[in-house]
Amino acid sequence: MTRITYGPRIDYGHCNGCTRCYELCPMDIFGWDEAKKRPTVDYPEECTLCCVCEIVCPEIAVDVRFPLHTIVDFGIPPKKVY
Amino acid sequence: MTVKLEQLVDEVIETDFLILGGGLVGCMAALRARQNKNIDVAIMERGNIWYGGNAIGFDDHNLEYPGIIEHPLPKNFSSEQASKGEFGARRFHNIVSAKLAVTEGRNYVKPLVVLEEIGVKIREDDGTVKVKQTQKIPGGPNWHRLVPDATGKIEGDKVFYRGSDVKEKLANAVVKSGARIFNRTILTNLITQDGTVVGATGMNTRTGKLLVFIAKAVLVSTGDMRRLYTYPWAPFPNNLFLNSHFAGNHGGGIVAAFKAGAKLANMEFLQVYVVAAGACATSAAGAGMYWKMQNSKGEFLEEKYQGGMLSKIGGHFPATNFVYSPNIDDPEFEREVITYDTSNATDDEVVACYFTCATEYPRMLKLHKLAGGIRKGPVEARVFIPGLLSGIVGVLNLNEKAETSVKNLFIAGCASSSTGSSGSKAMVWGHIVGDYVRDIISDIKKPVLKGEQLQQVESEKKRILAPLNHKGGVDPLELEDYVRSINMNYVNVRKVEPKLKRAIALLQEIRNDVVPLLSAENPHELMHVLEVQDIIEISELHAQASLMRTESRMVPSHYRVDYPKQDNENWANIIITEQKIDDEIKYTRERIE
């Protein structure tokens, strides 16, 4: 499968391992790295881009990247994203 | 050899009231049932009760009852009064019970009271409730304050309140109520005993643990059937999960109820939506709810097609509102590029739009921010099919207590065939069921599973786990994409007999030849295997019912190219779908009150 470019991206420099994104994602696309005590993005292709993970993150460490078709269709300048 | 239940599964949970689905309905029902602390309540939720379900996905946190908002409703509130409003439109189409619509109307303030009790802000700072009258000014928002007249009557269509945190507050209240919550647990089947539901099987989608719930009463509140068509402007696999509603709602509860013997209704009707291009199939705010739509010639559609089945405002009913042309064979949307232009929006309109966005998933505000604000310029609007028609299609709700044709099995919300298509109405039915179950639960005997039920569990376990032993088989998401392509290509808006028959043949072939080859490597993939099997079932029922209804009704919700006229003589009734004991599926027509 082509590499999935959309979905949540976690800034591990800021992530404090609180588990909120992992616990609260409606679609359950996050995994959990037990060794590092940090979330992982296991199923980005199933992301509905709802951005709940962004608003529940206390460290603003999650950024949901929109897919190309959404960016172009919604009139977002691609340069702003890529 | 007798196998004990505890040997078959990982956990057995005995409860009084099992709620399948922790959305608005499930949470409301749990809160009401737990008013009696002696009643044990368990909620099974595929996602998590804080953000699962449709609640946060759209702007639907309103109480709607056109022209008849009163506190309380008058005692002599009748079906004639109901027929004046939105429910009248439904009744006209003869596919939803007016009797149940009245029940809904009578109870519709109750959930609002509960929400206010748990801290949902439903009032403005001055204590009034914000009401929006739909369609008063075509193309523009129309906010005004709720001011009762001397008799206490309030004119208005919808009570809007800030809904972005309603689900979190409900979920927190449910936790506090002491209901037991099983998040990340997908329903796989119901367990029955002599035509009575006695429990359900579920699987934890993270651990793979199999659970058996034994319950006196079960509520199906698993939401609508969303994953039947694809979101046509996104590439696979993104096309599978973008929807105006919660993409986890695949209709699993409806299939389980059907297999348990519950009757389904109206399976032929699909939902047609308008969405803003790129808005991830979001609802009103992205659909141009507050803006005028125009074609490439600059003609405003509601003016061009004035007086027809044309309205851009709504989002709920009828679906025909969303096709901008009086002629289904020549819809404006298909020959044109339709846009709404926000560049001349008034401050009021901007506020209204942001208000609506704020009650949707956070993505809408983020998208607008990235695009430089909502006054950017023309935005393309597109039509798509998010699924079957919510609140019309689903498990047949038999009466005012939301009972189904299976004893002790209740139905509410978008999984129900009778009203309840919006969050507020769904909560009304959750409230009704929660109260009713609380009152009757002590009269129901605690079920005891016997050999037959153990066999049900054993065969269900085999079905659930089989794909784990089938390495390198069919990917469930690839199959789902294929099934949904069949619906897109052979069913869709323009239904015609040969194509419907072809769809049915293909779906049957898939069920027989492909489903046994499905494979999964972990519980998450197993969840998709279970989902796709339900999607295949629903797709076939949808095609069969579409084939049976040889007329067109509520176009484009059900449009038969070969039978383009509405036929009230033969078809002013609903199609009931029922699975008989020997697995034969029976389709009958019934008049509905």
Side-chain angles (χ1 to χ4, degrees):
Chain A
M1 193 181 285
T2 316
R3 187 173 60 93
I4 301 294
T5 56
Y6 56 85
R9 297 199 171 181
I10 301 162
D11 178 351
Y12 289 106
H14 286 90
C15 173
N16 67 5
C18 74
T19 77
R20 284 176 67 81
C21 57
Y22 172 67
E23 293 301 342
L24 296 174
C25 169
M27 295 302 288
D28 203 12
I29 70 165
F30 291 91
W32 186 254
D33 185 333
E34 199 48 55
K36 293 180 183 165
K37 305 283 181 204
R38 290 290 181 270
T40 52
V41 182
D42 287 4
Y43 301 98
E45 69 275 18
E46 295 172 29
C47 177
T48 61
L49 318 168
C50 73
C51 301
V52 163
C53 52
E54 271 192 32
I55 61 161
V56 299
C57 176
E59 301 295 330
I60 321 177
V62 188
D63 177 39
V64 174
R65 185 108 169 224
F66 290 112
L68 179 65
H69 66 89
T70 296
I71 291 162
V72 175
D73 284 351
F74 205 76
I76 298 165
K79 269 189 189 170
K80 243 182 172 176
V81 181
Y82 293 99
Chain B
M1 191 180 74
T2 316
V3 183
K4 283 187 177 171
L5 187 58
E6 287 74 11
Q7 293 171 311
L8 280 176
V9 295
D10 297 297
E11 194 176 348
V12 178
I13 299 112
E14 292 188 24
T15 185
D16 294 314
F17 184 26
L18 172 63
I19 296 171
L20 304 170
L24 290 170
V25 178
C27 287
M28 185 58 71
L31 282 181
R32 297 309 298 169
R34 283 291 293 167
Q35 292 283 309
N36 179 345
K37 296 294 179 203
N38 294 322
I39 297 172
D40 187 80
V41 174
I43 303 179
M44 194 196 297
E45 164 58 39
R46 175 203 190 273
N48 65 78
I49 65 163
W50 288 273
Y51 296 102
N54 280 335
I56 201 173
F58 56 131
D59 72 317
D60 214 18
H61 308 294
N62 57 66
L63 289 169
E64 44 190 305
Y65 218 77
I68 335 175
I69 291 179
E70 292 188 37
H71 303 281
L73 281 175
K75 279 182 183 157
N76 59 351
F77 184 63
S78 65
S79 52
E80 284 70 38
Q81 278 172 289
S83 69
K84 288 179 190 166
E86 183 191 46
F87 300 118
R90 293 181 175 190
R91 196 181 174 208
F92 173 75
H93 294 289
N94 295 98
I95 55 164
V96 171
S97 162
K99 193 176 74 181
L100 295 182
V102 172
T103 302
E104 193 176 79
R106 281 190 187 287
N107 289 283
Y108 90 110
V109 177
K110 289 180 179 173
L112 196 64
V113 175
V114 175
L115 293 184
E116 195 163 26
E117 274 171 10
I118 64 171
V120 175
K121 192 177 184 301
I122 63 168
R123 293 174 195 276
E124 298 300 292
D125 293 340
D126 61 4
T128 59
V129 179
K130 187 174 269 187
V131 169
K132 177 178 165 290
Q133 282 191 318
T134 52
Q135 292 181 294
K136 194 172 179 186
I137 302 171
N142 178 28
W143 300 90
H144 75 137
R145 293 294 170 89
L146 190 70
V147 185
D149 66 16
T151 64
K153 187 172 177 178
I154 298 157
E155 291 289 352
D157 289 335
K158 295 182 177 183
V159 180
F160 267 65
Y161 52 90
R162 187 176 162 75
S164 59
D165 60 357
V166 70
K167 192 64 204 308
E168 294 146 303
K169 284 179 173 160
L170 260 176
N172 288 336
V174 169
V175 172
K176 207 173 150 192
S177 80
R180 289 192 282 168
I181 296 149
F182 295 83
N183 284 328
R184 310 292 185 198
T185 305
I186 189 168
L187 166 72
T188 77
N189 233 327
L190 292 171
I191 306 169
T192 54
Q193 193 171 67
D194 305 323
T196 301
V197 68
V198 291
T201 45
M203 184 195 75
N204 186 299
T205 61
R206 285 186 173 172
T207 63
K209 268 189 178 178
L210 296 182
L211 292 82
V212 163
F213 293 79
I214 303 171
K216 292 177 174 178
V218 178
L219 167 63
V220 173
S221 50
T222 48
D224 31 27
M225 292 163 276
R226 289 289 134 198
R227 279 156 59 179
L228 288 184
Y229 290 84
T230 49
Y231 181 64
W233 293 280
F236 176 78
N238 204 204
N239 60 341
L240 300 185
F241 297 100
L242 290 189
N243 204 297
S244 54
H245 296 58
F246 178 48
N249 288 1
H250 74 286
I254 295 166
V255 172
F258 178 64
K259 286 185 192 164
K263 292 178 178 178
L264 307 184
N266 297 327
M267 291 297 286
E268 62 275 33
F269 292 98
L270 46 82
Q271 191 156 15
V272 183
Y273 250 53
V274 170
V275 294
C280 313
T282 192
S283 63
M289 184 174 179
Y290 298 107
W291 326 106
K292 286 185 175 184
M293 291 200 187
Q294 56 187 315
N295 61 21
S296 61
K297 299 178 205 79
E299 297 169 316
F300 289 107
L301 301 190
E302 61 261 45
E303 287 163 18
K304 188 176 175 184
Y305 298 119
Q306 210 165 13
M309 53 180 186
L310 310 160
S311 159
K312 72 176 184 177
I313 303 174
H316 315 297
F317 194 86
T320 46
N321 283 356
F322 297 123
V323 175
Y324 276 97
S325 165
N327 180 2
I328 182 70
D329 285 326
D330 191 17
E332 179 91 19
F333 261 106
E334 292 190 16
R335 302 178 277 111
E336 263 290 359
V337 175
I338 306 296
T339 55
Y340 59 89
D341 191 346
T342 57
S343 45
N344 294 318
T346 64
D347 287 348
D348 229 19
E349 287 168 333
V350 172
V351 168
C353 185
Y354 275 130
F355 181 88
T356 311
C357 286
T359 65
E360 297 193 350
Y361 280 127
R363 70 183 168 208
M364 275 311 294
L365 286 177
K366 184 174 176 178
L367 279 165
H368 279 308
K369 193 179 165 197
L370 283 169
I374 60 176
R375 296 188 193 195
K376 181 79 179 165
V379 178
E380 189 188 337
R382 293 165 170 173
V383 180
F384 91 117
I385 304 172
L388 299 192
L389 193 50
S390 294
I392 302 284
V393 178
V395 178
L396 185 66
N397 178 356
L398 290 185
N399 54 37
E400 293 91 337
K401 295 157 191 160
E403 288 174 304
T404 69
S405 33
V406 175
K407 203 174 168 201
N408 298 340
L409 183 67
F410 297 84
I411 185 73
C414 289
S416 161
S417 70
S418 296
T419 66
S421 64
S422 68
S424 50
K425 293 172 186 172
M427 280 189 282
V428 169
W429 287 102
H431 197 290
I432 289 172
V433 175
D435 276 1
Y436 182 63
V437 168
R438 191 184 65 228
D439 291 345
I440 62 155
I441 202 84
S442 58
D443 300 333
I444 303 173
K445 268 193 186 167
K446 188 180 159 188
V448 178
L449 301 200
K450 297 174 184 166
E452 190 196 332
Q453 286 71 50
L454 293 186
Q455 273 179 9
Q456 286 178 33
V457 173
E458 196 168 7
S459 73
E460 185 60 5
K461 182 183 177 179
K462 269 187 198 159
R463 180 180 82 97
I464 296 168
L465 299 181
L468 287 177
N469 301 320
H470 195 110
K471 304 288 176 205
V474 175
D475 180 318
L477 290 185
E478 189 182 352
L479 179 57
E480 181 178 331
D481 188 50
Y482 181 39
V483 170
R484 288 166 69 171
S485 298
I486 291 170
N487 292 333
M488 289 292 278
N489 291 317
Y490 295 99
V491 186
N492 212 310
V493 171
R494 288 176 185 74
K495 297 168 181 167
V496 61
E497 185 178 320
K499 285 197 174 187
L500 290 171
K501 285 184 170 168
R502 177 69 181 140
I504 293 162
L506 276 169
L507 290 164
Q508 287 172 348
E509 192 181 324
I510 284 170
R511 184 191 293 110
N512 295 334
D513 300 344
V514 183
V515 166
L517 305 177
L518 280 163
S519 81
E521 290 189 357
N522 56 45
H524 187 92
E525 289 179 13
L526 268 185
M527 167 177 73
H528 291 321
V529 167
L530 292 165
E531 287 169 343
V532 76
Q533 291 177 70
D534 293 337
I535 290 165
I536 292 167
E537 292 291 329
I538 292 166
S539 297
E540 191 186 338
L541 297 174
H542 174 49
Q544 292 278 16
S546 298
L547 184 64
M548 183 176 172
R549 187 179 283 277
T550 49
E551 63 142 7
S552 294
R553 188 169 291 262
M554 246 173 29
V555 175
S557 211
H558 175 72
Y559 176 59
R560 282 288 298 265
V561 178
D562 38 4
Y563 298 93
K565 300 274 184 240
Q566 184 163 314
D567 176 5
N568 281 330
E569 199 173 315
N570 296 304
W571 281 110
N573 41 33
I574 60 173
I575 295 179
I576 304 279
T577 307
E578 186 181 7
Q579 183 153 16
K580 306 310 259 182
I581 305 297
D582 55 2
D583 277 357
E584 190 191 325
I585 295 173
K586 186 180 149 197
Y587 299 87
T588 50
R589 307 178 199 191
E590 280 182 26
R591 295 250 166 202
I592 194 159
E593 271 183 60

